[in-house]
Amino acid sequence: MKKTLIILGLWVVAIVLIAALVVSMGYSFPEALFIGVQFLPGVLAAHYFLSKISFQNKSAGIRDAIFVMLAILVAEIALVVMASIIIVHMRHIVIWWQYDDYPETLFNPVFIGMILALLIVGDTALARFLDRRFPTTQKPIRFVSERKTVSLLPDEILYIESNDKEVTVNATEGRRFRNKTGIGQWEDLLGDNFLRIHRSYLVNANYATLISPDTVTIGTAELPVSRKYKEEVQTILTNHRA
């Protein structure tokens, strides 16, 4: 609830600040507020679509991010222009005189892009702050498998198996996903609740059972424990189940 109120408060402040800037261009404050609201769809779209982009392939990720931002910028320009046209026509109806003094600055793509960029940066910074201040129990892990973006909660991942140049993500309900991120990177990504038992296996300690010094089971799978990790695995899994 606190996070929602803080986010709403930020957007109210942001819209008021944009409105104050637009007022200096000759618009009334209600008209400027109407224009300021038009930036919300662009920021929400950026928040949603940019979070879906995978940067596993950096060049492809950067390319996709640029395309998304260009599309959002074009849409925002259209929204601002349409809002201004609506305001001008409302002025015609209300005060019965011809008004054709459109502020050129407001239609400048660079100007609109700068406002949009500031809002997106502010939204991203606030989201990160709130995640630290009000942490949720789990955040989804997003990765690419066979050219599709997959999103899993850590508790849905049973174990990671390394196979030469790729890994297999074994998840609940019998789901399996192939991915080219190295097992070492997965170990850093998933955190302390995941335990390395072998150079080829990383297991979720919530699901792992040590049935012998050399073997761990997860569901119906029996996974080997290498000599390098044997002592650590036995200590952690024994304490984890205690």
Side-chain angles (χ1 to χ4, degrees):
M1 185 63 178
K2 287 183 178 180
K3 290 175 69 173
T4 302
L5 291 175
I6 291 171
I7 292 171
L8 290 175
L10 171 71
W11 284 115
V12 170
V13 171
I15 291 171
V16 170
L17 290 175
I18 294 171
L21 180 61
V22 175
V23 164
S24 68
M25 300 176 185
Y27 289 88
S28 68
F29 190 70
E31 293 170 343
L33 280 177
F34 179 60
I35 291 173
V37 169
Q38 306 311 309
F39 285 91
L40 287 180
V43 179
L44 293 174
H47 184 91
Y48 177 80
F49 288 109
L50 292 178
S51 68
K52 302 296 183 183
I53 295 174
S54 171
F55 288 91
Q56 182 179 340
N57 183 324
K58 290 185 179 180
S59 59
I62 292 172
R63 179 200 62 207
D64 292 343
I66 291 172
F67 286 157
V68 167
M69 290 307 300
L70 286 175
I72 291 172
L73 177 59
V74 170
E76 275 300 329
I77 293 171
L79 284 173
V80 172
V81 170
M82 288 300 299
S84 297
I85 291 173
I86 290 170
I87 289 170
V88 168
H89 282 282
M90 288 301 295
R91 285 176 173 179
H92 291 170
I93 295 171
V94 173
I95 61 180
W96 298 95
W97 66 48
Q98 183 69 26
Y99 183 88
D100 55 7
D101 183 19
Y102 292 93
E104 294 181 0
T105 303
L106 188 58
F107 299 157
N108 188 324
V110 176
F111 176 77
I112 294 175
M114 288 176 62
I115 292 179
L116 191 60
L118 287 172
L119 291 175
I120 292 171
V121 169
D123 176 69
T124 302
L126 180 66
R128 289 178 179 176
F129 168 78
L130 292 177
D131 284 343
R132 293 194 301 269
R133 183 67 178 82
F134 305 103
T136 54
T137 52
Q138 286 193 339
K139 295 180 66 175
I141 305 296
R142 292 186 175 87
F143 59 95
V144 174
S145 178
E146 297 178 347
R147 299 183 180 181
K148 295 181 180 179
T149 300
V150 179
S151 180
L152 294 175
L153 292 173
D155 272 354
E156 294 182 279
I157 299 175
L158 301 178
Y159 65 95
I160 307 292
E161 179 181 0
S162 177
N163 303 296
D164 297 327
K165 295 183 179 180
E166 67 177 21
V167 301
T168 301
V169 180
N170 295 271
T172 54
E173 300 176 355
R175 293 171 293 171
R176 293 165 62 88
F177 305 96
R178 292 189 300 174
N179 175 258
K180 295 190 180 299
T181 303
I183 193 170
Q185 292 173 271
W186 275 100
E187 187 174 6
D188 294 336
L189 180 66
L190 291 171
D192 295 337
N193 207 45
F194 281 75
L195 179 63
R196 191 72 173 267
I197 64 170
H198 190 278
R199 65 182 180 85
S200 298
Y201 293 100
L202 175 68
V203 304
N204 188 332
N206 288 335
Y207 296 102
T209 300
L210 187 68
I211 61 171
S212 78
D214 302 311
T215 308
V216 163
T217 61
I218 294 184
T220 59
E222 291 191 5
L223 308 177
V225 179
S226 69
R227 182 181 303 174
K228 177 181 178 180
Y229 300 103
K230 186 179 298 185
E231 184 177 347
E232 180 183 11
V233 169
Q234 186 168 2
T235 300
I236 292 177
L237 289 185
T238 300
N239 292 336
H240 196 78
R241 294 294 180 183

